[in-house]
Every structure is written in C-alpha cells, then in structure tokens.
Amino acid sequence: MSVQERKERERADRERLIVATARELAEQQGWDAVTTRRLAERIEYSQPVLYSHFRGKREIIGAVALEGAAEMAAALRAAASAADGPRTRVTALARAYLAFAERNPAVYDAMFRLDGGLAFAHEDTPEPLKDAFAALLETLGEVAGDGVHPALFTEVFWAALHGLATLTRAGRLPPEDTEPRVELLVDRLAM
Amino acid sequence: MSVQERKERERADRERLIVATARELAEQQGWDAVTTRRLAERIEYSQPVLYSHFRGKREIIGAVALEGAAEMAAALRAAASAADGPRTRVTALARAYLAFAERNPAVYDAMFRLDGGLAFAHEDTPEPLKDAFAALLETLGEVAGDGVHPALFTEVFWAALHGLATLTRAGRLPPEDTEPRVELLVDRLAM
DNA sequence: CTCGATTGTCTAGCAATGCTAGGATCGGGT
DNA sequence: ACCCGATCCTAGCATTGCTAGACAATCGAG
C-alpha cells in the first residue's frame, strides 16, 4: 500500500510543479508564452504528461486561478484585520486588492480575464472563489448602508475595483492616480 | 485620374467589408472563430489580401474597436441628451453603457478586453477612443462634486461600469440584478 | 527469480493557427 | 500591340493545442 501512496504523492508533487511553473512562466513572459511545449520542457517531462493531469490548457489556467484566489483571500483578510474601524478597513481592503492585481498580473488574468473553465455564481463554484468573495463581503458588508443588501453592495464595489485593476493594467488608465481613485471610491461608496 | 480614384474607392469598400465581416463573425461565434482563413473565405478573397489592408489580426480587432467606440459615444450621447437633470442623465448613461456592452459583446471585447494594439491615455490615442471618454466626461463631470477633478471622477465611474459589464458577461455576476446595481452606483457616486 | 501484465512515459504526428514568399494574371499607359 | 506594374492567389512555413501508438519500467503471481 505504501508504494501506491508514494506514487500518488509524487503525482501530486508533479501537479503542483506544473501549476507553479505555468504561473511562473506566465508572470515572466505573459500567458501567450505559456505553451504546452514550453511548459513541458520546463518541468522536464513531455507534453502528454500535462494531459494526464489536466484536461487541457484551460484547466491549467483554472488551477492557477484557484491558487491565486486562495492567496488573494488571505491577502485581503490580512490587510483588513490590520486596520480598525469599518471605513479604514475598506480602504485597506481596496488597496490590497489593487496591489495584488498589480503584483500578480498573470494570476489576476487567470482569475478574471482568461477562460479557465471555471464556474462562477453557481452551485458548483469552486470553494476558493467563493471564499475570496466571502473575504470581500466580510469587510464590505459592514459599510453597505441601511436597506442595501450586503452581497449587492459587495458586487458593485468589487466591480469597481476590478474595473480599476483591469483598465489600469491594460494601459487604459494612467497608473499614477490610483491612490486618489481609491480614496474617491471609498469616500463615496462606503457608508 | 478617375481610374485610380475608383480603385481607391474599391479598396476602401473592401476594407470596410473586412471590418464588418470580422465584427459579424465575432458577434456570431466569438472572436476565437475569427481566423484569417474564415474571414478571407467570407469576404471571398484569399488570406494575403487581409494583410494588404492590415498589419495583422490585431489591427483588424483594433479597427472593430474603433468602429465600436464611435458607436458607443453616439449611443451614450443619445441616452444622455434624452434625459434631463444631471443625475437622471447619469442613470441613463450608465444604463446605455451596460446595454451597449451586452448587445455588442464582441465589439466590447475588441475595445477593452482584447489586444487591438491601440494606445490609451496617451498623445497618440485614436480620436474615437478619446471621444468616447469625452462622451462619458460630459455627463459625469456635472456630478463629480466639489473639489473632485471631473476626469478622475469619470475614470472611477467608468471603471465601475466596466467592471460590472465584464464581470456580468463573464458569468461572474448574475445578470438579473443589473438594475439595482446601477441604482446603487449612481446613488452613491453621483453628487 | 522469472515472466506476463499493467502502468507510466515518450516519440511522432494531426489539424488548425497567423503570417509570408513567389509566381501568375490582369489592366492601364504608351 | 506591347510592356510594365499593380493585384491577387497558390503554396508553404513555423507554431499552436492535443492525441495515438509504440516503448519501457515496474509490480504481482507463480
């Protein structure tokens, strides 16, 4: 039985290696550079091995997205818990969100821009994604205001952050004024 | 001289045909289905003809984006001018923006999601893009509030709209609650 | 310890993609 | 009528995601 366990462990290790390598490569040279061949070469296996772990490239992107979602949730909670007072927490949360997007552009793309074959807003939404939304909700729910559904408020606030993140990264918004944008957003939206 | 003029006219016609066909195909089957071969077949020319008009696929996407930007600017202005009172105008503008994104998903993708090789927020930003932003600014500048730079306010509001549009289209947000989201956004952000 | 079977991995190849070189063909000007 | 240039197409390249089939290593049974 121990033999089989070792094999499973090795398999799991290799799967982690694939995901980590894909992420690394994407952060270094962009997702376009993440081809199955290059990825296979980096992990020092042949291409078909990838397909014994994942159904295809999409699933690899999805795996990176899930890993990123977990990290993001942790980062958001850490930032929020370091601040006190609901509004301060919201500001810290917003800054942490945008900082995460800026520091991990490839991961952010995997989560929200690319098609990782993940389901959202459904029953079968993967746990890390639901948890990342929950992390937002925890802090944002406090400042939704009377008569406003916390989830709805969180969606709107999240959409605004997502818009800022993507438009900035795509060069649609000059990056210098990020801070005043955050302040304006929190000032107006949070009650 | 007339011969040359006719040729130029025909060339311009064909270029419009290429852009229109690319857009149509993208709206019907998504941008993934817009391959140079399929596109060439639809316009009843061979592939290399495309490259005598555009440097590559990116530029074709860019052309669709510019066309879309002009349309969007017109749609936004029409919606805004049909409403009176600054806040009502903003609501109308927001609805028009999201409606445009929903009705022309491929065009919206070309404008903001895909890489069309266009420059933003620079000197050399194409006119239609600057004009679309101007259309937003005209209406949103009125409700920026005291001491808030109209352009900055417009950027934030735009980012929020963009976030709602993309997250909804990507299935990240359930589409039913779009209207209350818009109301919340206008309620809080507009002064 | 040996042998068959199963499991795992790689080589080789497919169809589709964006893009380009080279030759054929058509038309206008002299 | 002829030539020359513009215009267009056939054919092909390298790269992509993905897969079939051959090969080797490993494990369990006798």
Side-chain angles (χ1 to χ4, degrees):
Chain A
M1 205 59 91
S2 164
V3 193
Q4 195 176 348
E5 279 175 14
R6 193 205 67 216
K7 288 201 173 179
E8 280 175 21
R9 207 172 43 236
E10 286 174 354
R11 241 189 98 77
D13 281 348
R14 196 173 58 181
E15 188 155 319
R16 270 189 294 274
L17 177 63
I18 293 174
V19 176
T21 307
R23 175 176 176 170
E24 196 181 304
L25 193 51
E27 293 291 7
Q28 284 173 358
Q29 312 182 29
W31 277 106
D32 278 353
V34 183
T35 68
T36 55
R37 284 172 175 58
R38 247 192 291 266
L39 188 50
E41 194 190 7
R42 287 232 181 171
I43 65 169
E44 295 180 316
Y45 281 95
S46 69
Q47 279 180 287
V49 169
L50 300 174
Y51 293 87
S52 76
H53 288 271
F54 301 96
R55 211 181 287 268
K57 194 185 171 183
R58 281 170 82 201
E59 268 195 10
I60 298 179
I61 296 175
V64 172
L66 289 187
E67 192 179 288
E71 277 178 38
M72 175 181 250
L76 295 181
R77 288 206 174 91
S81 69
D84 49 313
R87 287 180 69 99
T88 332
R89 258 198 295 280
V90 172
T91 307
L93 182 84
R95 287 207 191 101
Y97 186 99
L98 294 178
F100 183 89
E102 191 186 340
R103 269 203 269 270
N104 310 282
V107 175
Y108 195 83
D109 280 351
M111 290 171 68
F112 297 126
R113 240 173 64 93
L114 304 178
D115 180 14
L118 302 176
F120 280 78
H122 287 81
E123 286 286 326
D124 51 351
T125 300
E127 208 48 54
L129 291 175
K130 283 200 270 191
D131 189 53
F133 187 82
L136 288 170
L137 188 72
E138 288 159 18
T139 297
L140 292 171
E142 291 186 81
V143 296
D146 295 339
V148 175
H149 198 306
L152 186 78
F153 179 81
T154 302
E155 288 173 357
V156 171
F157 200 101
W158 173 35
L161 287 176
H162 176 63
L164 286 177
T166 54
L167 289 176
T168 303
R169 251 185 37 62
R172 261 76 169 178
L173 291 180
E176 307 90 52
D177 297 328
T178 297
E179 184 53 28
R181 287 192 203 109
V182 170
E183 282 169 22
L184 177 63
L185 193 66
V186 176
D187 244 39
R188 295 282 170 88
L189 278 186
M191 299 246 68
Chain B
M1 206 60 91
S2 163
V3 191
Q4 194 177 349
E5 280 175 12
R6 192 205 67 216
K7 288 200 175 181
E8 281 175 20
R9 207 171 44 234
E10 285 173 354
R11 242 190 98 76
D13 281 349
R14 197 172 58 181
E15 188 156 318
R16 271 189 292 275
L17 177 64
I18 292 173
V19 176
T21 306
R23 174 176 178 171
E24 196 181 304
L25 193 51
E27 292 291 6
Q28 284 173 358
Q29 312 182 30
W31 277 107
D32 278 352
V34 184
T35 68
T36 55
R37 286 180 224 286
R38 246 192 292 266
L39 189 51
E41 196 190 6
R42 285 231 182 171
I43 64 169
E44 295 180 315
Y45 281 94
S46 70
Q47 279 180 286
V49 168
L50 299 175
Y51 292 86
S52 77
H53 288 271
F54 301 96
R55 210 181 288 268
K57 195 185 170 182
R58 281 170 83 202
E59 268 195 8
I60 298 179
I61 297 175
V64 172
L66 288 187
E67 193 179 288
E71 278 178 36
M72 175 181 250
L76 295 181
R77 289 206 173 91
S81 69
D84 49 315
R87 287 179 70 98
T88 332
R89 259 198 296 280
V90 172
T91 307
L93 182 85
R95 289 208 189 101
Y97 186 100
L98 295 177
F100 183 90
E102 191 187 340
R103 269 202 270 270
N104 310 281
V107 175
Y108 195 84
D109 280 350
M111 290 171 67
F112 298 124
R113 244 173 63 93
L114 304 177
D115 180 14
L118 301 176
F120 280 78
H122 286 81
E123 286 285 327
D124 52 351
T125 300
E127 209 48 55
L129 292 175
K130 285 200 269 191
D131 189 55
F133 187 81
L136 289 171
L137 187 72
E138 288 159 18
T139 297
L140 292 171
E142 291 186 83
V143 296
D146 295 338
V148 175
H149 199 305
L152 185 79
F153 179 81
T154 302
E155 288 173 357
V156 171
F157 201 100
W158 173 35
L161 287 176
H162 176 63
L164 286 177
T166 53
L167 290 176
T168 303
R169 252 185 35 62
R172 261 77 167 178
L173 291 180
E176 307 89 51
D177 297 329
T178 296
E179 184 52 28
R181 287 193 203 106
V182 170
E183 282 170 21
L184 177 62
L185 193 67
V186 176
D187 243 38
R188 294 281 170 90
L189 279 186
M191 299 245 67

